[in-house]
Amino acid sequence: EAGVAQSPRYKIIEKRQSVAFWCNPISGHATLYWYQQILGQGPKLLIQFQNNGVVDDSQLPKDRFSAERLKGVDSTLKIQPAKLEDSAVYLCASSLDRQGFHEQYFGPGTRLTVT
Amino acid sequence: AQSVTQLGSHVSVSEGALVLLRCNYSSSVPPYLFWYVQYPNQGLQLLLKYTSAATLVKGINGFEAEFKKSETSFHLTKPSAHMSDAAEYFCAVSESLMNRDDKIIFGKGTRLHILP
């Protein structure tokens, strides 16, 4: 089966600019996650979708970050305006459903550098 | 709330030697536990998971982990290291409450170096 797809793989922007990331999960997976992974740390959950609804966005900086999952399939994550501390790898993952025992499948990530 | 502590941000072992990566967890209810591996410029890949069945869990690439409730540990081992095992390893915990939206919490990771 095809894995989780993400684009772009790399992005360099200046602070205060905006950027958008795209994710296509595994077909049939109801749950989609966006993580932020800062260098030297584990992934931190930003937002979790169940189909096209938000389940958890408690750690999403909502003044600058937004995400949507239209039609319960693809998802986009946007940052506007970007700050230096947003430099990180943004990982998208999907799972069959939202219970904790389900394996999460990760995409290759988008490496964002904010200068 | 659950949490994960990985002891040692870097571990070096010789090729052919035993690999031991340590993970301790904290959870108020019976946990689900995971080990993920991340190769450079790639996403995370599941190595193995514990979901309250057998306490000794076997995963891919010859790795295994043992759930020890009394020690709140879930250490990852492999009898003989291979050069291809060099990667970052993440331990993660999720709480096993059914019908809940369980968040998975990742540790900070351990980078495994294999010495020739």
Side-chain angles (χ1 to χ4, degrees):
Chain A
E1 65 183 2
V4 176
Q6 289 188 248
S7 67
R9 291 295 312 275
Y10 305 91
K11 190 74 177 179
I12 301 174
I13 61 173
E14 295 181 352
K15 59 183 179 183
R16 292 187 289 273
Q17 287 187 324
S18 63
V19 64
F21 312 129
W22 173 82
C23 173
N24 180 237
I26 292 174
S27 177
H29 280 194
T31 314
L32 185 146
Y33 312 80
W34 281 103
Y35 290 90
Q36 180 191 60
Q37 185 178 20
I38 292 174
L39 186 65
Q41 298 183 22
K44 182 185 84 171
L45 181 69
L46 291 175
I47 189 167
Q48 176 181 344
F49 292 93
Q50 181 71 8
N51 296 311
N52 60 351
V54 175
V55 169
D56 184 349
D57 63 356
S58 57
Q59 297 194 85
L60 187 73
K62 299 181 187 61
D63 57 332
R64 299 184 299 106
F65 285 64
S66 64
E68 60 182 9
R69 190 184 183 195
L70 299 176
K71 302 181 181 179
V73 183
D74 292 7
S75 177
T76 57
L77 175 70
K78 297 179 182 178
I79 307 175
Q80 181 179 13
K83 292 185 175 181
L84 295 176
E85 60 260 36
D86 298 331
S87 294
V89 176
Y90 291 85
L91 295 166
C92 179
S94 69
S95 62
L96 198 61
D97 211 328
R98 60 189 176 186
Q99 284 77 27
F101 54 81
H102 286 294
E103 175 182 355
Q104 294 187 24
Y105 295 82
F106 285 80
T110 297
R111 182 177 298 276
L112 174 67
T113 302
V114 182
T115 63
Chain B
Q2 67 268 42
S3 66
V4 169
T5 302
Q6 290 185 242
L7 300 176
S9 58
H10 292 265
V11 170
S12 295
V13 301
S14 298
E15 191 174 18
L18 171 72
V19 175
L20 171 61
L21 302 183
R22 300 178 188 273
C23 172
N24 288 90
Y25 70 91
S26 172
S27 177
S28 57
V29 298
Y32 298 125
L33 294 161
F34 307 81
W35 275 100
Y36 282 85
V37 61
Q38 186 176 33
Y39 297 101
N41 298 315
Q42 295 187 27
L44 280 69
Q45 177 186 5
L46 183 70
L47 274 178
L48 49 81
K49 66 179 180 180
Y50 166 77
T51 56
S52 74
T55 57
L56 182 62
V57 181
K58 295 187 183 298
I60 62 171
N61 301 338
F63 284 93
E64 62 182 37
E66 185 171 9
F67 171 68
K68 292 187 177 180
K69 183 179 178 181
S70 61
E71 298 176 9
T72 61
S73 68
F74 191 58
H75 301 332
L76 181 71
T77 60
K78 181 175 180 178
S80 177
H82 192 273
M83 295 299 290
S84 60
D85 294 327
E88 186 101 24
Y89 292 80
F90 293 94
C91 182
V93 63
S94 176
E95 293 189 327
S96 60
L97 291 177
M98 296 302 290
N99 301 317
R100 261 194 54 178
D101 304 312
D102 300 322
K103 185 187 305 183
I104 186 170
I105 302 297
F106 287 88
K108 292 187 175 182
T110 297
R111 183 165 295 279
L112 178 63
H113 304 271
I114 310 298
L115 307 174

